[in-house]
Amino acid sequence: MSAIVIDGFSVAASVRARVAESVGALRSRGVEPCLSVILVGEDPASVSYVTGKAKALAEVGMKDRSIHLPASTSEAELLSLVAGLNADPSVHGILVQLPLPRHIDESKVIMAIDPAKDVDGFHPASVGNMVLERPCFLPCTPHGVLVLLREAGIATKGAHAVVVGRSNIVGKPMSILLSRRDCNATVTVCHTGTRDLASFTRQADILVAAIGKPRAITGDMIKPGAAVIDVGVNRVEDPSAKRGYRLVGDVDFEAACEVASFVTPVPRGVGPMTIAMLMENTLLAATRLSAAGE
Ligand code: GUN
């Protein structure tokens, strides 16, 4: 069997094109959607995500109020910056890039963000609304996965979805979204405490890998005909590559292509969707906040 490779790059481009149109309409009414991305320190993966976000903002015509702070920034300084952005009516979305340096309490910073500007969907109010199936900003990566499944024509209703990983950013919200009434999947969550991981992954009609370990999902762990969604972005050394490394997912891509019916590649799979959904959330924030201010 040779799986269909889901082209996240092109699905993300069409999401951005749709967002750009709506940004044009908002701008003609005098609203300039604006996102502030705060990066603390120089974590290379974070720097690269933030660069991708800046590029997407320019493409969809939104204002970029990104702020890059040194790793030595104190928690109090960061909290006061967030408070200022909360109070600034020209800023519609606030995203604090994670991970933060160890001396800063991440959850304190996330809780300081005004839920109306929480375009990451990480604030406890956003998470609570997501669980309760109420309107909210959906977290970008899991939301992007749902859009990819929909665009590829993969039905979630009644499917057995196995999510490997329980991080607050991907695994946990992914499992909740798949089990909500609008997706109606039966969900199993696997994590570091799971015994015999392969016995679960082999039952998956939809397998979402969000582990953070290069090629941890091997061909023998995949059910024939499954849809395999690879959320992992791992840097592995490669002296033949220009930068000395290349990106690989959590799934052995070549092996998965032999067994599965659908596979997302790394790069150009889930990654571009995360940024596209962030653009959509920022548009939503600007639409809601500008309507509330009228
Ligand atoms: N670090 C890795 N992914 C994300 C994300 O989606 N949002 C934020 N804020 N930080 C991240």
Side-chain angles (χ1 to χ4, degrees):
M1 183 185 266
S2 190
I4 293 170
V5 177
I6 300 174
D7 182 358
F9 190 80
S10 86
V11 177
S14 57
V15 172
R16 292 197 304 272
R18 206 167 17 82
V19 170
E21 255 180 54
S22 305
V23 169
L26 264 187
R27 277 180 172 272
S28 66
R29 294 186 2 230
V31 180
E32 190 178 28
C34 170
L35 173 68
S36 181
V37 175
I38 304 169
L39 172 63
V40 185
E42 306 291 338
D43 174 63
S46 293
V47 170
S48 126
Y49 289 142
V50 170
T51 309
K53 285 164 189 164
K55 226 175 109 190
L57 284 170
E59 188 190 321
V60 302
M62 292 196 208
K63 200 164 166 204
D64 184 357
R65 279 273 299 273
S66 293
I67 300 162
H68 191 172
L69 300 169
S72 59
T73 303
S74 71
E75 186 180 281
E77 283 169 319
L78 184 54
L79 289 171
S80 122
L81 175 67
V82 168
L85 294 168
N86 283 342
D88 184 342
S90 70
V91 173
H92 304 103
I94 303 169
L95 179 149
V96 179
Q97 185 66 34
L98 304 178
L100 287 168
R102 292 237 297 267
H103 63 274
I104 300 177
D105 180 346
E106 269 180 15
S107 98
K108 216 165 166 182
V109 175
I110 290 168
M111 287 205 279
I113 297 170
D114 179 350
K117 299 187 178 186
D118 175 33
V119 288
D120 249 336
F122 291 172
H123 189 285
S126 305
V127 178
N129 283 325
M130 176 188 65
V131 172
L132 297 170
E133 310 193 17
R134 287 158 46 93
C136 63
F137 294 112
L138 294 180
C140 301
T141 301
H143 189 196
V145 169
L146 294 188
V147 173
L148 278 185
L149 291 172
R150 197 177 63 214
E151 291 295 314
I154 298 161
T156 52
K157 189 170 172 244
H160 183 193
V162 176
V163 178
V164 189
R166 60 174 156 193
S167 69
N168 290 343
I169 295 181
V170 184
K172 205 174 288 170
M174 185 82 257
S175 64
I176 291 162
L177 288 174
L178 282 163
S179 71
R180 292 190 345 169
R181 263 162 265 258
D182 47 356
C183 283
N184 245 356
T186 300
V187 181
T188 300
V189 186
C190 298
H191 43 72
T192 46
T194 299
R195 268 186 258 142
D196 193 5
L197 176 63
S199 71
F200 293 97
T201 59
R202 270 190 223 113
Q203 296 178 46
D205 302 312
I206 298 170
L207 177 59
V208 181
I211 310 163
K213 269 200 207 138
R215 291 195 202 88
I217 302 290
T218 49
D220 59 317
M221 296 169 77
I222 299 168
K223 176 178 173 176
V228 179
I229 308 295
D230 191 350
V231 186
V233 184
N234 307 290
R235 291 182 177 202
V236 295
E237 261 185 58
D238 182 355
S240 73
K242 229 192 313 178
R243 295 171 294 189
Y245 68 88
R246 69 197 160 87
L247 296 180
V248 300
D250 289 349
V251 175
D252 180 340
F253 178 76
E254 286 75 22
C257 282
E258 292 301 310
V259 186
S261 59
F262 293 91
V263 184
T264 63
V266 177
R268 298 173 76 95
V270 174
M273 291 304 293
T274 298
I275 295 182
M277 302 328 288
L278 175 66
M279 299 301 113
E280 202 177 88
N281 277 354
T282 307
L283 170 68
L284 186 63
T287 306
R288 284 185 185 154
L289 287 166
S290 61
E294 274 164 10

